Amino acid sequence: GLYNAQKLEGVPDEDVVTYQREDVDQSDADACRYVRVLLVRGRMLGAVLIGDTDLEETFENLIMDGIDLSRFGPELLDPEFDVEDFFD
């Protein structure tokens, strides 16, 4: 996807939203995770997933399907929110 807002030069800034979450575990480097998503007009156009997030397939489908996610806001990245249950 367009994880770094490539090709969005003509899109107004107010139409572009990014959310990110970083989970750092100093005692276990394998447990560290980073997730960032890029939404344009509520539709996910890109994502960066580092570590074991279990969101890869779900986010890929959300990017390809172009579903309006604006009602979820930053809750999309909340670890307590099972985004997979809504869209898989």
Side-chain angles (χ1 to χ4, degrees):
L2 304 175
Y3 64 90
N4 206 16
Q6 305 96 315
K7 302 179 185 177
L8 298 179
E9 295 84 16
V11 178
D13 289 343
E14 60 269 9
D15 290 348
V16 179
V17 177
T18 59
Y19 301 117
Q20 66 182 23
R21 182 184 90 215
E22 185 173 0
D23 301 326
V24 178
D25 185 347
Q26 298 296 334
S27 63
D28 184 5
D30 291 333
C32 296
R33 291 177 293 277
Y34 176 81
V35 180
R36 182 177 72 203
V37 296
L38 173 82
L39 291 95
V40 175
R41 297 181 192 98
R43 283 147 173 78
M44 189 179 300
L45 291 188
V48 174
L49 305 169
I50 299 174
D52 186 18
T53 64
D54 294 327
L55 295 170
E56 296 83 3
E57 185 176 341
T58 302
F59 282 6
E60 179 181 2
N61 289 335
L62 289 174
I63 291 169
M64 291 181 355
D65 293 344
I67 297 171
D68 186 358
L69 304 169
S70 54
R71 66 184 172 128
F72 297 104
E75 189 176 29
L76 274 171
L77 303 184
D78 185 341
E80 300 299 317
F81 179 72
D82 288 326
V83 69
E84 300 92 359
D85 291 344
F86 280 92
F87 301 108
D88 270 352

